[in-house]
Amino acid sequence: MKYYLSVDAGTSIIKTVLFNKNFDLIFISSVKNKVITDEYGKSEIEMNKFWSLTSKCIKSCILHSKVNPLNIDAVGITGNMVGAWPIDNANKPLRNAILWNDTRSEKVFNYLKKRNKKIFENIFSISGSVVQYGCTLPIVKWLEINEKNVLKKIKYFLTCKDWIRFKLTNNIYNDLTERSVSPGDIKKISFSLKILNLLQLNSKYLKKFPEARHSYEIGGYVTNNASKQTGLEVGTPVAIGAGDVPSTAIGLGAIKKGMCSSIVGTTCHNFYVSDKPFFKPKNSGLLFYSPNKQWLRTMINVAGTTNFDWVVKNFYKEKSLGNLNFLSKIEKKFQNYDINNNNIIFLPYFNYGGTISPFFNLNAKAEIFGLLPHNDRDDILYASYQGLCLSIRDCYEALNIKVKSLSLSGGASKSKIFPQILSDVLGIKIIIPYGEEFGARGAAYLASVAIKKFKNLNQVANKNKKIKKIFSPNLKNKNYYFNKYQKYLKLRQNLANLW
């Protein structure tokens, strides 16, 4: 039996996933990675420690799966996107990696906005995305102001998966899915001199970025040193790979124009597959380039299932810290829940950075509205599920497209009640695809194309697309959710100025 090994490096958890030739999950290893934060918006990772954890995670997966490394055909890589992972002329880290959720460049934008009040709008018109403080080019600007001596010594800016690939192969590349959200020109899938000018950055910094290749190309082969550290066989091909959002879309089989999919985990990504760049609605959401030569118009709520976690943490004191099945147990009693007694509206913008979809307001906050004396903690928890589903409807309606069905993945897809609530709120079928670890699966798909096992991504995705379960809307709840959605919209619109 032949296998694919994928590395999926999240912000705080690194996973190594082993798939067989049919892309069935055989074994998974994971390790927590410490993120260094402070009250000023810092979010960093020590790069050498990160690689040490990653290499040990790979070795653990191979060892405990008892798979012969000779039978691993290729390695796929995906990881958290953008940020800055700087290396010097000796290809060693110059400082800690700065992650996508670092917000210290906010002060840079506050300064730039004094000269150009429409800087966010100007960047969106080129990139199709609301620029995030942790994107690569804003970080370069922050380094220019705060760490000029470090910036001078930087040979290359890498991203998370680029660093992993370099440590495995000793080759240095970027990939096109990350280049376009640096932010860059999403139409040309490259850097934009206009955006550099908007950020008051010299074009000389472009020399600090390595060659960008397609995600489905081979990025190199496992070296002797990497083999000793990971247990992988010397010479095993390593694919270029893609960022976590495009990789997950590919793993889900979202490769056809018009397909819609929501990935609901810690964050909530709602995307639409397009054959060309899709800029509507203006100044909202993100636009990713997919390795399938398509674009993913993405409406994101940074707070996903964290809304449920907060309610449980603060209202269910009997929850034991180690009981991962606690929420599942609560959901059982909701299966015959009477929604007509619950008029609470929960706005799920539960984070410090507001929201960029389906509207742009960095001050937006979570709200619990409409409490009555008969309401209890179960009502609040159920309303948080509804609120997240209503926000998903809000995101898709902002795209002004016809959603016929929706593929759902992430932690929420395993919920006993969330998929049905979402189906009722949207009034469409919710499809739960067969499988798990779709980001890693997408990386394995890309690796299989890189080594010519499949001609292209369409072939591999279509061959391995399976459905686990389908949820259909309960028509009895149609009027309830129509009315609740109208109230939801009015509430978040009227709060815009108060936030």
Side-chain angles (χ1 to χ4, degrees):
M1 177 69 79
K2 296 292 185 178
Y3 302 90
Y4 298 100
L5 184 141
S6 291
V7 179
D8 184 353
T11 305
S12 57
I13 297 178
I14 305 164
K15 298 177 183 177
T16 302
V17 187
L18 200 64
F19 297 95
N20 64 18
K21 65 179 182 179
N22 297 318
F23 301 97
D24 297 316
L25 193 153
I26 300 301
F27 197 84
I28 181 170
S29 292
S30 64
V31 61
K32 288 186 178 180
N33 178 57
K34 184 179 180 181
V35 178
I36 304 164
T37 62
D38 66 14
E39 67 271 28
Y40 302 108
K42 174 194 286 187
S43 183
E44 298 183 352
I45 281 178
E46 205 286 302
M47 291 171 64
N48 283 328
K49 286 184 179 178
F50 173 85
W51 166 245
S52 177
L53 288 170
T54 302
S55 61
K56 290 176 181 176
C57 190
I58 295 171
K59 179 171 276 190
S60 174
C61 185
I62 295 172
L63 181 66
H64 290 96
S65 68
K66 298 181 181 179
V67 165
N68 187 334
L70 286 168
N71 291 326
I72 297 175
D73 274 348
V75 176
I77 307 173
T78 186
N80 61 87
M81 299 182 72
V82 296
W85 296 59
I87 59 174
D88 62 16
N89 287 324
N91 296 333
K92 293 183 178 180
L94 260 171
R95 69 178 317 286
N96 289 343
I98 301 176
L99 299 180
W100 65 275
N101 56 350
D102 190 289
T103 60
R104 286 173 290 179
S105 75
E106 180 180 6
K107 292 182 179 179
V108 174
F109 278 97
N110 290 339
Y111 165 75
L112 293 173
K113 281 180 71 177
K114 291 179 181 178
R115 299 193 174 192
N116 179 4
K117 292 183 179 180
K118 292 189 176 182
I119 186 169
F120 283 99
E121 291 89 340
N122 293 155
I123 292 175
F124 182 91
S125 69
I126 301 167
S127 69
S129 294
V130 175
V131 63
Q132 304 290 284
Y133 298 133
C135 284
T136 306
L137 292 183
I139 291 173
V140 174
K141 185 64 180 179
W142 183 86
L143 289 169
E144 184 182 62
I145 295 170
N146 296 280
E147 297 182 12
K148 188 171 290 185
N149 290 332
V150 171
L151 182 58
K152 288 179 180 179
K153 297 176 183 178
I154 293 174
K155 176 185 177 182
Y156 285 130
F157 285 104
L158 305 181
T159 61
C160 176
K161 72 176 186 318
D162 298 335
W163 174 243
I164 296 171
R165 188 189 329 103
F166 164 69
K167 296 301 288 184
L168 285 171
T169 67
N170 214 33
N171 290 341
I172 299 174
Y173 299 108
N174 283 157
D175 94 285
L176 294 176
T177 67
E178 304 242 32
R179 181 63 58 88
S180 55
V181 288
S182 54
D185 187 326
I186 192 64
K187 293 180 179 179
K188 297 180 180 178
I189 320 300
S190 65
F191 286 118
S192 165
L193 292 178
K194 290 182 179 179
I195 290 179
L196 287 173
N197 289 333
L198 288 167
L199 295 173
Q200 297 181 17
L201 283 171
N202 194 302
S203 60
K204 67 181 181 181
Y205 292 129
L206 295 183
K207 295 179 181 179
K208 294 183 180 292
F209 290 86
E211 175 190 352
R213 289 193 170 187
H214 289 286
S215 304
Y216 47 78
E217 294 183 61
I218 291 177
Y221 302 86
V222 173
T223 63
N224 283 309
N225 190 43
S227 175
K228 293 176 183 177
Q229 293 176 296
T230 63
L232 288 163
E233 187 68 18
V234 174
T236 303
V238 180
I240 290 290
D244 54 1
V245 175
S247 188
T248 301
I250 290 167
L252 287 166
I255 56 171
K256 292 183 180 179
K257 178 184 176 181
M259 292 184 72
C260 294
S261 183
S262 290
I263 308 166
V264 185
T266 304
T267 58
C268 179
H269 288 263
N270 310 291
F271 61 83
Y272 166 76
V273 181
S274 175
D275 286 340
K276 58 183 179 180
F278 191 84
F279 285 74
K280 295 180 181 179
K282 288 184 178 181
N283 306 315
S284 177
L286 304 170
L287 183 57
F288 294 94
Y289 175 70
S290 172
N292 201 40
K293 298 179 181 179
Q294 294 173 316
W295 285 260
L296 305 173
R297 187 69 175 100
T298 307
M299 308 299 277
I300 178 175
N301 182 357
V302 176
T305 56
T306 49
N307 289 282
F308 316 153
D309 296 337
W310 181 85
V311 175
V312 171
K313 178 182 177 182
N314 288 279
F315 290 91
Y316 293 83
K317 297 299 182 181
E318 70 272 26
K319 176 186 179 294
S320 61
L321 291 176
N323 189 359
L324 298 176
N325 295 319
F326 186 80
L327 193 57
S328 179
K329 291 180 179 178
I330 297 175
E331 288 179 347
K332 285 184 178 179
K333 62 181 178 181
F334 282 144
Q335 290 175 321
N336 295 312
Y337 183 79
D338 185 1
I339 60 174
N340 294 297
N341 290 326
N342 189 341
N343 290 312
I344 298 170
I345 298 174
F346 191 107
L347 298 186
Y349 311 119
F350 199 82
N351 65 92
Y352 291 105
T355 186
I356 62 170
S357 306
F359 58 95
F360 180 69
N361 190 329
L362 299 180
N363 296 313
K365 297 174 180 65
E367 308 284 348
I368 302 173
F369 175 86
L371 286 170
L372 290 170
H374 72 271
N375 291 132
D376 58 19
R377 61 183 185 175
D378 288 348
D379 295 326
I380 295 172
L381 180 59
Y382 200 90
S384 72
Y385 282 77
Q386 293 178 322
L388 189 55
C389 292
L390 292 167
S391 78
I392 292 172
R393 176 172 174 173
D394 198 6
C395 284
Y396 283 114
E397 290 202 352
L399 293 176
N400 194 28
I401 57 171
K402 178 70 174 177
V403 182
K404 297 179 180 179
S405 64
L406 181 73
S407 173
L408 176 66
S409 63
S413 68
K414 301 174 184 177
S415 165
K416 292 180 173 64
I417 61 171
F418 185 86
Q420 185 60 56
I421 296 174
L422 185 59
S423 179
D424 292 349
V425 167
L426 296 178
I428 59 173
K429 290 182 178 180
I430 301 299
I431 299 169
I432 309 297
Y434 174 80
E436 51 189 313
E437 302 299 335
F438 293 102
R441 175 184 270 193
Y445 283 0
L446 290 165
S448 72
V449 175
I451 62 171
K452 312 298 184 185
K453 290 289 184 180
F454 292 89
K455 291 182 180 180
N456 52 49
L457 287 170
N458 282 338
Q459 186 185 52
V460 62
N462 288 330
K463 183 178 180 181
N464 294 282
K465 192 174 182 180
K466 302 175 184 176
I467 294 174
K468 182 178 180 180
K469 193 171 183 179
I470 297 177
F471 292 84
S472 297
N474 185 343
L475 297 180
K476 293 180 180 179
N477 297 331
K478 182 177 180 178
N479 289 335
Y480 170 85
Y481 280 116
F482 175 82
N483 293 328
K484 192 156 197 172
Y485 179 62
Q486 301 308 311
K487 292 178 182 178
Y488 174 96
L489 287 178
K490 289 181 180 178
L491 179 62
R492 66 99 164 150
Q493 290 165 355
N494 289 328
L495 285 172
N497 293 326
L498 290 176
W499 285 326

